[in-house]
Amino acid sequence: MVEPVAGVGRFKANYAVERKIEPFYKGGKVQLDQTGQHLFCVCGTRVNILDVASGAVLRSLEQEDQEDITAFDLSPDDEVLVTASRALLLAQWAWREGSITRLWKAIHTAPVAAMAFDPTSTLLATGGCDGAVRVWDVVRHYGTHHFRGSSGVVHLVAFHPDPARLLLFSSAVDATVRMWSLQDQSCLATMTAHYSAVTSLTFSADGHSMLSPGRDKICVVWDLRTHQATKTVPVFESVEAAVLLPEEPAPELGVKSKGLHFLTAGDQGLLRVWEAASGQCVYTQRQLPGPKQELTRCALAPSAGLLVSVTADHNLLLYEARSLQLRKQFAGYSEEVLDVRFLGPEDSHIVVASNSPSLKVFELQTMACQILHGHTDIVLALDVFRKGRLFASCAKDQSICIWRMNKAGKVACVAQGSGHTHSVGTICCSRLKETFLVTGSQDCTVKLWPIPEALLSKGASSDSGPVLLQAQATQRCHDKDINSVAIAPNDKLLATGSQDRTAKLWALPQCRLLGVFSGHRRGLWCVQFSPMDQVLATASADGTVKLWALQDFSCLKTFEGHDASVLKVVFVSRGTQLLSSGSDGLVKLWTIKSNECVKTLDAHEDKVWGLHCSRLDDRALTGASDSCVILWKDVTEEEQAEEQAKREEEVVKQQELDNLLHERRYLRALGLAISLDRPHTVLTVIQAIRRDPEACEKLGATVLQLRRDQKEALLHFCVTWNTNSRHCHEAQAVLGVLLRHEAPEELLAYQGLQASLEALLPYTERHFQRLSRTLQAATFLDFLWHNMKLPPLPVAPSAL
């Protein structure tokens, strides 16, 4: 292996999470506020509030019981949000502050399935899985009505838009719409026309008509004065939601007269506008490329002029209500993320392939999302060409697509190709120029696809539709699935990794076999060329990463550390380090020269399939089966600068401490030593105080002047000193000061006091017993000494 040139790039030591793209919507109700600035949606145990302009989650509201949210509604005045959880608790929120203002029991015997506010924002209706409908006064905080009679789950409740009429409508699984009088507390009418579940209830501006769509492929217009169906419109699709449009002309939607018109969303995946009087469809949304996506929700914010629809794979599409021009797209839930890549010359965007036929492109600055349709089955892998604007994808539908991002950031499919006989699981673009790409498939072959010059010319336009790609060469490379292909930095070599436990090296463009890398015990998930040396890295299901020499196909190094399959590996720091990701949800940073795992990044909860690094090598991108995409930032320099600043600060503090001790300013010295959080330094200060001729008074006065948090820290240090017989005297002296001068209730309020006492007691007893034995021994010696004293010698007679 060729050693890297000294000084060519520094080693990385750590990455920190810079941004996380997490699921924010997992199905269920969505609602816009009246201004169209906020979007409310359910995600498991939380209701998330999105800022429509940026796509960012402003706030997540979660009840204290941490149970799944089963229903929610925002009041018409946008002031109050109420949520219902599976634990049968209702919570009233001041949602802008994120605080619960009231919590009460739903009284239903089963979870609440639907709720709705009345036009005055004072009454709230709840429909339960127990077949009951209840009405609550949210201002005075009490239940006002309890309606029974529905059979099965009540999944729809709606108040009449005229507050003076005091009418409530509900629908249960029996496909019947019931009209309840709040005044008489009775059921005024039972409206039956549907044969399957009614999916929404919406009212005309004058309050005389109501529209009820159903999964029985019809929409019924009701006259609320006679309680009779005036029109039944067959819409030829199972309708999940419908809204009545404002009674004003909208030529772009085919609305030319003032009669009732309504918009439907259903299993055909298209928004359609119908004229109620004639039953004719006057507008159909243009079919997007790719497989049909069923629409599951649709909601209108009339005052904001916005309409939101939701697809079956949890994408939220925001339209102008009058023209159905797409304004925003939000990816609510990505399921399993299979691959991720940086996009754009400045890495300004990222593209995500999840368990879906569509791709998602996010602009990192604003988090604006584009949803790309081109494949008809799950996209499995991605790769980006050198300049960053052209990228390629491959999928289970046995096809590949090439996409181009223009200077405005808009992405379009510019080329498509097919030829493999099984899923295309891996793809790699040429490294030097945008001239070709290579794909590997479950059919055990690789194909080389030249890029047509028409795509690369500056005048190329995507308006004419995708160009057809033709494979130039096909080579059967392995006996089992090909999981990874990689092209060398010089575009002359190709590496393939397979489920058959081997990697192979091929010469391009002929796909001529040069050698085989054998040594892994299980299938290979990833192969990667070093950007600097003639070395190949392989990641395997045996939990190891190996480095191989291209000259003789020998194994140079093996990196062991993952507890499960290693799924991706990339070179960083100009080929001197590796990043690897595994089925254990971990990302590891390795230094090649020392074979050492420098850092383990633990932020994912499942298999990390996607791993990519930016051009400047300062950021990394990971995507995993936990539906999360994480942007990592290299914080090595920042941490080194912080460490250096910390060391310098400690040197200054140490010098200051020495000066304070020399000047006998013990209080300042002790406070400074405690702030350094070094028990030995604090011990040195205590010893200096005790060496002072007026030791006891000095120590007591100094300790008692400390702040409470400093006393807590000092007590914690005493626990450490007390374990050593050489330092126990200082610990006991400090304890003596605290016990003699601090009130018991103050001591009990110290943080961690119980743990400190439990640690102090056994050693203190041991020191006491040792000192008692020493005292006994000293007393015995004193006794012996007194008994061994010789009688005084006689005085010699003085000389005469």
Side-chain angles (χ1 to χ4, degrees):
M1 173 178 159
V2 181
E3 290 290 343
V5 180
V8 176
R10 54 180 181 77
F11 286 148
K12 299 180 189 301
N14 195 12
Y15 286 88
V17 175
E18 183 179 350
R19 183 173 295 169
K20 209 169 182 179
I21 303 175
E22 296 181 280
F24 63 82
Y25 171 69
K26 293 184 177 178
K29 182 176 179 177
V30 294
Q31 186 175 359
L32 285 162
D33 65 359
Q34 296 299 322
T35 62
Q37 294 178 341
H38 301 100
L39 183 68
F40 298 77
C41 55
V42 183
C43 185
T45 60
R46 307 185 304 275
V47 170
N48 286 325
I49 306 169
L50 260 75
D51 177 44
V52 169
S54 66
V57 176
L58 295 178
R59 205 174 289 283
S60 285
L61 309 178
E62 185 174 27
Q63 292 185 195
E64 292 173 5
D65 53 42
Q66 295 185 333
E67 292 278 352
D68 283 351
I69 301 295
T70 57
F72 79 90
D73 199 47
L74 178 69
S75 62
D77 61 6
D78 289 345
E79 291 302 318
V80 180
L81 180 82
V82 176
T83 59
S85 75
R86 199 169 287 282
L88 306 182
L89 285 176
L90 296 173
Q92 186 173 321
W93 297 83
W95 60 269
R96 290 182 177 88
E97 293 79 37
S99 59
I100 292 178
T101 56
R102 184 182 165 227
L103 194 68
W104 75 99
K105 288 183 179 178
I107 308 181
H108 289 277
T109 57
V112 174
M115 64 169 63
F117 273 96
D118 80 326
T120 65
S121 302
T122 58
L123 296 178
L124 175 77
T126 56
C129 294
D130 56 0
V133 177
R134 292 183 177 271
V135 182
W136 310 86
D137 188 320
V138 294
V139 177
R140 298 195 182 103
H141 303 168
Y142 69 95
T144 62
H145 298 77
H146 180 200
F147 296 119
R148 284 198 168 276
S150 304
S151 57
V153 176
V154 179
H155 60 267
L156 277 179
V157 285
F159 280 95
H160 193 279
D162 182 359
R165 296 182 65 173
L166 294 173
L167 294 175
L168 174 66
F169 297 83
S170 70
S171 182
V173 292
D174 59 3
T176 301
V177 179
R178 287 178 171 81
M179 184 165 74
W180 309 90
S181 169
L182 300 184
Q183 209 162 10
D184 303 335
Q185 299 200 18
S186 62
C187 180
L188 291 183
T190 302
M191 296 180 272
T192 54
H194 288 279
Y195 302 98
S196 187
V198 178
T199 51
S200 64
L201 296 173
T202 180
F203 302 89
S204 61
D206 60 12
H208 296 323
S209 301
M210 179 179 74
L211 176 74
S212 65
R215 295 200 179 107
D216 50 8
K217 303 186 180 180
I218 60 170
C219 291
V220 180
V221 180
W222 302 88
D223 187 329
L224 296 182
R225 291 164 293 191
T226 63
H227 312 151
Q228 298 298 315
T230 57
K231 187 71 180 178
T232 300
V233 181
V235 293
F236 311 109
E237 70 169 331
S238 178
V239 181
E240 292 299 322
V243 291
L244 276 167
L245 297 175
E247 294 185 39
E248 54 189 44
E252 290 170 310
L253 299 181
V255 179
K256 296 172 184 174
S257 62
K258 279 196 170 183
L260 283 181
H261 290 77
F262 59 90
L263 179 141
T264 59
D267 60 7
Q268 288 191 12
L270 299 173
L271 295 174
R272 296 192 290 170
V273 178
W274 302 79
E275 185 180 39
S278 64
Q280 296 295 313
C281 179
V282 294
Y283 173 85
T284 302
Q285 192 180 26
R286 186 167 60 88
Q287 176 72 54
L288 293 170
K292 206 164 53 175
Q293 275 292 337
E294 179 187 344
L295 297 177
T296 58
R297 297 272 169 175
C298 186
L300 181 68
S303 51
L306 294 174
L307 180 121
V308 61
S309 71
V310 183
T311 66
D313 58 358
H314 309 304
N315 295 326
L316 284 75
L317 310 175
L318 199 65
Y319 297 95
E320 295 280 357
R322 288 187 59 80
S323 61
L324 288 189
Q325 288 292 317
L326 187 62
R327 252 180 64 169
K328 290 267 183 180
Q329 300 178 80
F330 305 103
Y333 181 54
S334 294
E335 294 192 50
E336 193 168 0
V337 177
L338 300 178
D339 211 352
V340 287
R341 286 289 187 277
F342 282 102
L343 270 190
E346 309 293 328
D347 291 332
S348 57
H349 294 67
I350 60 171
V351 57
V352 178
S354 59
N355 205 14
S356 162
S358 57
L359 293 170
K360 300 173 183 76
V361 175
F362 296 91
E363 186 182 359
L364 287 176
Q365 194 170 358
T366 64
M367 292 314 292
C369 176
Q370 296 174 63
I371 297 166
L372 310 179
H373 302 277
H375 291 283
T376 57
D377 208 340
I378 294 171
V379 179
L380 297 173
L382 303 163
D383 201 22
V384 183
F385 283 95
R386 185 181 176 186
K387 292 181 181 176
R389 291 203 181 277
L390 212 62
F391 68 98
S393 61
C394 60
K396 270 190 175 182
D397 60 10
Q398 306 172 16
S399 74
I400 62 170
C401 288
I402 298 179
W403 310 79
R404 180 189 284 122
M405 184 173 74
N406 63 20
K407 290 183 179 178
K410 295 293 179 188
V411 180
C413 180
V414 292
Q416 287 180 318
S418 59
H420 284 286
T421 57
H422 281 283
S423 299
V424 187
T426 178
I427 193 164
C428 188
C429 300
S430 53
R431 297 290 160 218
L432 285 178
K433 294 181 181 178
E434 298 172 338
T435 50
F436 68 95
L437 56 85
V438 173
T439 56
S441 167
Q442 284 185 357
D443 61 13
C444 307
T445 67
V446 296
K447 287 183 182 286
L448 188 146
W449 309 77
I451 306 298
E453 289 184 13
L455 284 186
L456 306 176
S457 61
K458 288 187 177 179
S461 171
S462 59
D463 296 340
S464 55
V467 175
L468 192 64
L469 296 174
Q470 295 288 342
Q472 175 184 317
T474 301
Q475 177 68 48
R476 182 177 174 85
C477 297
H478 292 270
D479 297 327
K480 290 187 178 178
D481 300 359
I482 297 172
N483 292 330
S484 179
V485 292
I487 296 171
N490 62 3
D491 279 354
K492 292 182 178 177
L493 297 172
L494 170 71
T496 58
S498 168
Q499 205 64 32
D500 66 6
R501 308 179 189 179
T502 66
K504 294 184 180 180
L505 190 67
W506 309 81
L508 291 175
Q510 305 88 0
C511 288
R512 177 170 49 85
L513 182 63
L514 298 176
V516 180
F517 303 96
S518 299
H520 281 292
R521 300 188 306 278
R522 295 209 179 166
L524 274 67
W525 282 113
C526 185
V527 292
Q528 196 73 251
F529 283 99
S530 167
M532 306 297 285
D533 308 323
Q534 293 195 11
V535 169
L536 182 77
T538 57
S540 167
D542 62 12
T544 66
V545 175
K546 289 181 182 287
L547 290 185
W548 309 83
L550 299 185
Q551 293 93 338
D552 57 5
F553 308 102
S554 62
C555 180
L556 301 171
K557 285 180 181 286
T558 300
F559 301 91
E560 297 182 7
H562 285 280
D563 293 331
S565 301
V566 186
L567 303 174
K568 275 284 167 72
V569 61
V570 294
F571 284 89
V572 292
S573 308
R574 300 197 179 185
T576 60
Q577 290 182 292
L578 290 169
L579 271 176
S580 64
S581 67
S583 293
D584 48 12
L586 302 177
V587 177
K588 290 182 179 285
L589 176 65
W590 309 84
T591 298
I592 292 174
K593 191 171 184 180
S594 63
N595 258 48
E596 179 190 5
C597 176
V598 181
K599 193 74 181 177
T600 298
L601 309 174
D602 185 5
H604 287 289
E605 296 174 1
D606 209 339
K607 303 178 187 69
V608 184
W609 289 107
L611 175 65
H612 193 224
C613 289
S614 62
R615 293 162 191 278
L616 297 177
D617 206 22
D618 60 341
R619 291 187 296 176
L621 189 64
T622 56
S625 295
D626 59 5
S627 308
C628 286
V629 175
I630 297 180
L631 183 67
W632 302 86
K633 183 183 179 184
D634 177 12
V635 292
T636 306
E637 283 186 1
E638 293 172 23
E639 288 188 349
Q640 286 174 348
E642 282 177 16
E643 190 64 34
Q644 181 65 24
K646 196 175 177 182
R647 280 198 297 267
E648 290 171 2
E649 186 183 354
E650 285 191 2
V651 169
V652 171
K653 282 187 175 180
Q654 188 64 50
Q655 184 60 52
E656 187 183 351
L657 184 64
D658 294 342
N659 295 340
L660 290 170
L661 288 173
H662 182 70
E663 297 166 9
R664 296 189 177 187
R665 295 166 64 187
Y666 295 125
L667 180 63
R668 286 282 305 278
L670 189 58
L672 183 61
I674 290 171
S675 72
L676 287 169
D677 195 29
R678 291 201 301 237
H680 186 70
T681 307
V682 180
L683 179 66
T684 307
V685 177
I686 297 289
Q687 287 170 340
I689 296 172
R690 282 170 56 80
R691 280 197 297 270
D692 193 283
E694 301 165 3
C696 292
E697 293 77 7
K698 287 273 186 187
L699 182 63
T702 307
V703 169
L704 291 173
Q705 288 182 65
L706 293 173
R707 297 192 313 270
R708 179 167 156 182
D709 62 316
Q710 292 175 322
K711 290 177 186 175
E712 288 172 353
L714 192 57
L715 185 63
H716 186 66
F717 294 154
C718 285
V719 174
T720 307
W721 306 335
N722 201 46
T723 59
N724 190 327
S725 58
R726 289 166 56 193
H727 304 143
C728 68
H729 303 289
E730 285 77 14
Q732 294 297 324
V734 172
L735 280 173
V737 170
L738 291 174
L739 291 170
R740 277 195 298 272
H741 296 94
E742 291 278 281
E745 56 270 13
E746 287 184 24
L747 282 171
L748 286 169
Y750 278 21
Q751 191 174 1
L753 179 74
Q754 186 176 350
S756 298
L757 285 176
E758 287 174 359
L760 282 166
L761 281 170
Y763 283 98
T764 301
E765 287 175 3
R766 192 181 301 175
H767 297 321
F768 181 73
Q769 290 166 4
R770 180 171 50 80
L771 289 171
S772 298
R773 288 194 300 270
T774 307
L775 186 61
Q776 286 174 359
T779 306
F780 183 67
L781 281 172
D782 193 43
F783 171 76
L784 281 176
W785 167 248
H786 280 293
N787 283 291
M788 290 170 66
K789 278 185 179 178
L790 294 173
L793 292 171
V795 180
S798 56
L800 295 173

